[in-house]
Amino acid sequence: MNNPEIKLNPNPRMRYEVTVRIEDAPGPFDTVNGTVDYRVSNEDCVPMTPVTGATIPPSKRVPLKLVSIGNDTYRGELFADLLQDEDYFGKGVCHWSIVAAGVEARVKKMDFAASLPKDQIFAHKPVTQYYSNRAYAESDTELLNTGNLNRADFKDPTHTFSIGLSAEEKVK
């Protein structure tokens, strides 16, 4: 199966403002970067792979440009309909869907990652993930730290910090 040239929607309309809030971190981050993941939602438009016979829907990750607005808060803009629905394989129109928006806050070799799934984006429900201050102190270890959704699950919940994401629909 050839990977199609994925096209951008020339007129995206589903615009969302994503806000990232980092709270109570024990120190600064070297970088804070965002991404948005998309995937074809209807697998019937994708041919089967020759060897396995499975259908593997195309996916695409695009950068989410985040701008610091102060106090460890960042904002970025995404379009849920950024990618062009089209007949990429001659099997009918493939429909793109957003999967999630994500952020990685890096300290030395460790990335503290948080994501906001599409259901939460569309429902305007924030997601907060918690991380141990000890992990921050051990950031010389190369690791993607995905944290925990419940602060109380840590041995010492008072020594944690959080990364929260929220999205608000914006009328273009």
Side-chain angles (χ1 to χ4, degrees):
M1 178 176 80
N2 292 332
N3 287 329
E5 180 184 331
I6 299 165
K7 298 176 183 172
L8 296 179
N9 181 350
N11 192 22
R13 297 174 192 248
M14 298 174 67
R15 182 168 66 109
Y16 289 82
E17 182 178 80
V18 176
T19 302
V20 178
R21 286 189 177 81
I22 302 173
E23 295 183 348
D24 302 322
F29 291 90
D30 300 330
T31 59
V32 177
N33 294 309
T35 57
V36 183
D37 291 314
Y38 298 87
R39 181 174 175 255
V40 167
S41 60
N42 58 321
E43 294 183 15
D44 58 330
C45 74
V46 181
M48 289 187 192
T49 55
V51 176
T52 65
T55 54
I56 303 170
S59 60
K60 184 166 180 72
R61 175 172 279 180
V62 298
L64 172 63
K65 182 180 177 188
L66 295 173
V67 176
S68 174
I69 60 171
N71 298 328
D72 289 328
T73 302
Y74 302 83
R75 286 226 170 96
E77 180 179 272
L78 68 81
F79 285 91
D81 58 345
L82 179 69
L83 303 180
Q84 179 70 44
D85 291 347
E86 188 169 293
D87 186 350
Y88 288 98
F89 302 100
K91 291 183 58 77
V93 174
C94 290
H95 299 285
W96 288 94
S97 177
I98 191 167
V99 176
V103 65
E104 290 184 2
R106 177 171 272 261
V107 178
K108 298 178 187 168
K109 295 181 180 179
M110 190 172 298
D111 286 309
F112 295 90
S115 65
L116 186 63
K118 76 174 180 180
D119 294 342
Q120 267 80 355
I121 292 171
F122 295 148
H124 310 279
K125 290 184 178 182
V127 171
T128 302
Q129 289 173 237
Y130 299 92
Y131 310 85
S132 166
N133 288 356
R134 185 173 157 199
Y136 183 100
E138 296 172 356
S139 57
D140 281 328
T141 304
E142 192 168 332
L143 179 70
L144 178 63
N145 187 330
T146 57
N148 196 314
L149 290 173
N150 190 348
R151 179 176 260 156
D153 287 344
F154 289 92
K155 283 185 181 181
D156 187 356
T158 61
H159 287 88
T160 59
F161 66 96
S162 66
I163 299 176
L165 288 95
S166 61
E168 181 179 330
E169 188 172 10
K170 295 292 183 180
V171 178
K172 191 171 180 182

